[in-house]
Amino acid sequence: MPDLTDKKTFSDTDALDFHRVPTPGKISMAPTKPMATQRDLSLAYSPGVAVPVLAIADDADRAYDYTSKGNLVAVISNGTAILGLGNLGHMASKPVMEGKSVLFKRFADVDSFDVEVKTTDPDEFVTVVKNIGDTWGGINLEDIKSPECFVIESQLQDLLDIPVFHDDQHGTAIISTAGLINACHITGKKLEDVKVVLAGAGAAGLSSIGLMKAVGVRAENTVIVDRDGVVYKGRENIDQWKAAHATDTPHRTLAEAMVGADVVLGLSAKGAITKEMVASMAANPIIFAMANPDPEITPEDIRSVRDDAIIATGRSDYANQVNNVLGFPYIFRGALDVRARTVNHEMKIACARALAMLAREDVPDEVAAAYSGRKLKFGPDYIIPTPFDPRLIWYIPPFVAQAAMDTGVARQPIEDMEAYRVALRQRVDPSAALMQKIASAVRAAPNKRVVFAEGEETAVIRAAWGFKQAELGTPILVGREDLIRRNAAEAGLNFDELDIEIVNARISDRNDAYTDWLYERLQRRGYLRRDVQRMINQDRNYFAATMVARGDADAVVTGTTRNFNMVLKEVRRVLDVRDRLIGLSVLLARGRTLFVADTSIHELPDARELAEIAMQAATTVRKLGRTPRVAFLSYSTFGNPPGDRSEQVREAIRILDQIGVDFEYEGEMPAELALDPEARAAYPFMRLTGDANVLVMPGIHSASISTRLVQALGGATVIGPLLVGLEKSVQIVSLGASVSEIITAATFAAYDGTVDKGAVDAEA
């Protein structure tokens, strides 16, 4: 379980208020179908509900098709081992079980409800769960004490035809195994050679040592220790689960077992491991002190005697937190999506190995933002991904699903794993579908050369790396090669692997030609040749834009170190406007994609400019594979109330009427008319045949405020503003843009004006 007690930044009153206000508890139910009309009610309940009832009566598996079963997990407990608090009863476990349900939804979009069972008798517990088991697509057992948890899980796995997973056992096992794989990789140790000591032979400890054996640790190289000492072959008074891991060993105490050990797994209690024990371990020891709320030994105490140790704990205030939230949401996501009958050993191993692989990848900026800007890079202080890594949802479940398919426990195999990854990304990232289509179109087109103008910035270097790795085109970094390579190395990137081109503007052999060309362009605007020479030599935006103008590259992305207006002025001295120049933002919310214009160029457009903005936006939206339906937004509705800005909008409509454009448009209107068909029904003269997807704002203030407000309120993603209308493709990101934002801009830059619009799927 996540650590809920370390370094509290809240009072007990804060915690109680959080769970009580404004509504008691942490979960609620939301319908997935409309309940607005009598027909809706008839379909949802009587008489329409009889049709799926009869279908399920004929074939019980149809419940996956006609009910929420396939995305529904029960979190079930009897409260006999609540967090680190012990046996406090089934109702005391309810806040924890609700919390687990919230985590299922937050991290993997799995619907989950808690069930608290009022019994401590294992047989009675099994009977209760068995009789309600078919309701769910999977069952997560939680906070059940050992050894009863082993019996309960084993029996339910035999009795039910759905995944039954005791997270306190297997969650810790999966995450710690992932950490061990990477710790061995860093230290150069082989899994089959390491000597592992387990301090704490409870459910989590025994499951952890079992999974580590499954990935390569040899049984004879393990020693487990419980409160009575070493579990050795022949020892009396041990249960069958401990006996299964007993080894022939002369050691009888934890201190003896740790002498020369490579790895110690702590799943016991504070103080169980001493400095002297740590000092006796082998070189480069791997120490996972995972007791909560206080580890067996603190990292500070370990460091005082060993500076070569790799350390993990169960706490969030230390590096390498072994946090079960890295496992259970994604185990169940993969299992549910193939309608698995169980979660088997192979699926757990697949999850552990996937987590280990993900930790070796470059870490997104979103993760750093969640950890107060701390830069995470694979190494001794980062061997396990963090819970807020946005890639977990689409990276881990496919490995779990594939293992289920390979071992024959999947009822419904996934045919297209890449499409599955895209679908997973869409569950938590509304922009994923659009970006996937754009990226696919870019990959299908001839290789595009994109100049990253501010190439010495670490975020830009990482973005260029990601752009290249994703096979979106050829990145060109502008800057000093020694500094770029040094910053890349500090970020953990090896440029020799990808062969990324670096151009130093100051010493480039293109300087004279670029200077001649730009001087000819600017000589009648008050620029001397030496001015132009300085611009080419010293300003990367001028150099990068000239590269594109002269055909030495296809697109530019810039803006991380200068404000938008300054960058745009520099770029426009090099490049002409092809059509009307606008800023177009993409807003994704509630399954809807909207394009908002103009969000960056025209402060207070007149009627002619509004009409041109609409035409440019419609052209761009069509290139992105959508059929444009344009709504001119205003505070007034077709002249009521009157005003100067609404008159400008009405004049823009008249201009479009005279031109005769090939897209739908209407205005002026408030947002509800543009987006709600029932509201439009009161205006039978309206020309829109469906909801608008292009919103033309009356001014930059309203465009910027509205998009930022929606984003700030949550539940929406905003891409852009995208720069549209220059003769060559340029995208300007915001100051301090994240790596993902720079990659998105570079992808649009590669796409803009170079890919046939048919390469992007039309909207559904």
Side-chain angles (χ1 to χ4, degrees), residues 436-438 440-442 444-445 619-627 751 753-763:
Q436 181 63 29
K437 291 177 181 179
I438 299 300
S440 296
V442 169
T619 298
T620 303
V621 168
R622 189 170 277 126
K623 283 184 179 180
L624 294 174
R626 305 297 177 108
T627 301
Y751 177 82
T754 63
V755 180
D756 183 84
K757 66 181 179 181
V760 177
D761 296 336
E763 65 183 320

Side-chain angles (χ1 to χ4, degrees), residues 87 110 113-114 248-249 363 403 406 423 529 559 670 697 717-718 748:
N87 183 357
V110 171
F113 287 97
D114 58 295
D248 282 320
T249 175
V363 184
D406 292 343
R529 194 178 192 284
M697 296 292 186
T717 297
V718 177
F748 273 103

Side-chain angles (χ1 to χ4, degrees), residues 163-185:
V164 178
F165 183 86
H166 184 216
D167 185 49
D168 297 306
Q169 293 180 57
H170 308 301
T172 301
I174 290 166
I175 315 310
S176 60
T177 298
L180 178 65
I181 291 170
N182 277 341
C184 286
H185 177 83

Side-chain angles (χ1 to χ4, degrees), residues 250-541:
H251 305 312
R252 294 297 181 264
T253 67
L254 177 60
E256 292 174 4
M258 283 182 61
V259 175
D262 297 288
V263 182
V264 62
L265 307 175
L267 284 157
S268 53
K270 177 183 179 181
I273 298 173
T274 67
K275 293 182 182 181
E276 291 74 20
M277 295 177 189
V278 169
S280 73
M281 295 180 70
N284 302 309
I286 300 165
I287 302 169
F288 290 1
M290 298 177 283
N292 262 327
D294 298 304
E296 289 79 2
I297 183 170
T298 66
E300 291 86 355
D301 283 346
I302 295 172
R303 295 290 183 208
S304 72
V305 293
R306 299 298 294 261
D307 60 3
D308 59 343
I310 292 181
I311 306 166
T313 72
R315 291 174 53 140
S316 60
D317 54 335
Y318 292 121
N320 298 323
Q321 184 192 18
V322 177
N323 192 327
N324 286 14
V325 79
L326 290 168
F328 69 83
Y330 313 110
I331 282 274
F332 273 98
R333 181 75 274 156
L336 292 171
D337 291 338
V338 294
R339 299 183 183 177
R341 299 180 184 277
T342 187
V343 172
N344 59 29
H345 224 48
E346 292 80 3
M347 293 161 73
K348 290 179 278 186
I349 291 171
C351 184
R353 286 179 171 157
L355 285 167
M357 287 190 294
L358 180 59
R360 302 182 195 184
E361 302 283 344
D362 186 40
V363 184
D365 284 355
E366 294 90 331
V367 177
Y371 288 85
S372 303
R374 180 163 62 95
K375 173 59 183 166
L376 301 173
K377 181 175 68 173
F378 181 61
D381 292 330
Y382 179 69
I383 60 173
I384 307 168
T386 67
F388 291 100
D389 193 320
R391 300 168 298 178
L392 287 161
I393 180 60
W394 58 262
Y395 194 99
I396 306 301
F399 288 96
V400 176
Q402 188 65 56
M405 292 156 56
D406 292 343
T407 54
V409 299
R411 288 185 182 88
Q412 182 174 285
I414 295 169
E415 295 181 3
D416 187 339
M417 197 58 73
E418 187 56 39
Y420 176 51
R421 289 187 179 91
V422 173
L424 288 170
R425 196 188 291 254
Q426 288 178 241
R427 282 185 174 273
V428 294
D429 181 4
S431 67
L434 175 65
M435 289 311 304
Q436 181 63 29
K437 291 177 181 179
I438 299 300
S440 296
V442 169
R443 291 190 190 101
N447 185 53
K448 296 296 176 294
R449 299 159 298 166
V450 177
V451 184
F452 291 74
E454 298 147 311
E456 294 174 358
E457 301 298 313
T458 300
V460 176
I461 294 169
R462 291 172 56 210
W465 175 275
F467 187 80
K468 177 85 170 182
Q469 275 198 320
E471 299 179 343
L472 293 166
T474 299
I476 302 170
L477 288 167
V478 178
R480 291 164 288 182
E481 183 168 357
D482 58 341
L483 181 55
I484 290 174
R485 289 190 176 276
R486 185 163 66 249
N487 288 343
E490 290 178 359
L493 308 178
N494 182 358
F495 268 28
D496 293 334
E497 293 179 6
L498 291 185
D499 190 28
I500 294 178
E501 182 180 352
I502 300 172
V503 177
N504 187 334
R506 185 180 295 275
I507 62 174
S508 171
D509 58 8
R510 299 168 177 159
N511 276 10
D512 289 342
Y514 285 4
T515 299
D516 291 342
W517 180 86
L518 188 56
Y519 177 58
E520 184 176 347
R521 175 180 172 84
L522 297 179
Q523 60 189 348
R524 293 183 179 276
R525 303 187 199 177
Y527 291 91
L528 301 176
R529 194 178 192 284
R530 66 170 181 266
D531 299 327
V532 176
Q533 180 74 61
R534 185 174 60 253
M535 291 156 65
I536 293 295
N537 281 353
Q538 299 181 12
D539 195 300
R540 289 159 197 164
N541 285 329

